[in-house]
Amino acid sequence: GAVVSQHPSRVICKSGTSVKIECRSLDFQATTMFWYRQFPKQSLMLMATSNEGSKATYEQGVEKDKFLINHASLTLSTLTVTSAHPEDSSFYICSPLGTGTEAFFGQGTRLTVV
Amino acid sequence: GENVEQHPSTLSVQEGDSAVIKCTYSDSASNYFPWYKQELGKRPQLIIDIRSNVGEKKDQRIAVTLNKTAKHFSLHITETQPEDSAVYFCAASFLNYGGATNKLIFGTGTLLAVQP
């Protein structure tokens, strides 16, 4: 299967600061990246879809100015949580779109805002 | 909008018994239905999937059935073992003409506990 690397795996930050999460597809090129968020004991919810070289498409209820997505290359996409608050504490997972049927996921990033 | 409902939210079975989890989806254009097992703090792992042109698929102790007319699909685990304990998610997606999956709409999850 495809190799997807997501960093950091865990991060604790102070309220009001920004956090950047990186997602790399190591052995294939991903023109599209999906970003999901999962609150404790809840399902994975799609936040946004990004395409390399263009602006991301955000799902309803997701603030585009708060969750900045950059997809500058076919192997790297980043999600920046700006001015993080405790309610942003969650598990963030990237999923690059490959060429096959199976979806691949990064390891996930556990964000805790204190 | 797109929606996937999943039941039950929790399921407790005795080791060796069968477990069944059911999902319904709203988007009739969905044509790909994967099932994931997720352990705490880990990424989802694909355990089985089915395309809309197939009614049933089996892989050892795991099987999935799909009723496209009714827009529901089910996961069946037979001879359950304690290591099957985890959260299971169904999902619905749309495969493009190249066969690549699009965004996944996940169900709400089922916490399966297999009692030894």
Side-chain angles (χ1 to χ4, degrees), chain A residues 32 34 36 46 49 95 97 100-101 103, chain B residues 31-32 92-96 99-105:
Chain A
T32 300
F34 302 111
Y36 295 88
L46 181 67
T49 303
S95 178
L97 178 66
T101 303
Chain B
N31 58 8
Y32 174 64
S93 184
F94 177 76
L95 297 178
N96 62 27
T101 188
N102 207 320
K103 63 182 181 181
L104 290 164
I105 306 300

Side-chain angles (χ1 to χ4, degrees), chain A residues 5-112:
Chain A
S5 178
Q6 183 176 342
H7 293 281
S9 57
R10 292 177 180 272
V11 57
I12 300 173
C13 71
K14 291 184 177 180
S15 186
T17 60
S18 296
V19 174
K20 179 184 282 188
I21 301 169
E22 291 189 351
C23 182
R24 296 179 184 272
S25 53
L26 299 182
D27 56 355
F28 69 102
Q29 294 182 328
T31 55
T32 300
M33 183 73 75
F34 302 111
W35 285 94
Y36 295 88
R37 176 170 58 182
Q38 186 177 29
F39 291 108
K41 298 185 179 181
Q42 294 189 25
S43 185
L44 285 83
M45 300 297 293
L46 181 67
M47 297 175 65
T49 303
S50 71
N51 292 295
E52 184 263 338
S54 62
K55 290 183 178 180
T57 302
Y58 291 82
E59 296 297 305
Q60 191 174 5
V62 178
E63 300 175 56
K64 63 178 181 179
D65 294 329
K66 181 170 185 62
F67 299 98
L68 302 180
I69 291 174
N70 183 287
H71 195 161
S73 78
L74 292 173
T75 58
L76 173 64
S77 177
T78 62
L79 167 68
T80 301
V81 183
T82 64
S83 187
H85 291 285
E87 57 265 31
D88 298 323
S89 298
S90 189
F91 192 53
Y92 293 86
I93 306 178
C94 63
S95 178
L97 178 66
T99 57
T101 303
E102 182 176 350
F104 300 102
F105 296 93
Q107 303 97 314
T109 298
R110 172 73 60 194
L111 171 63
T112 303

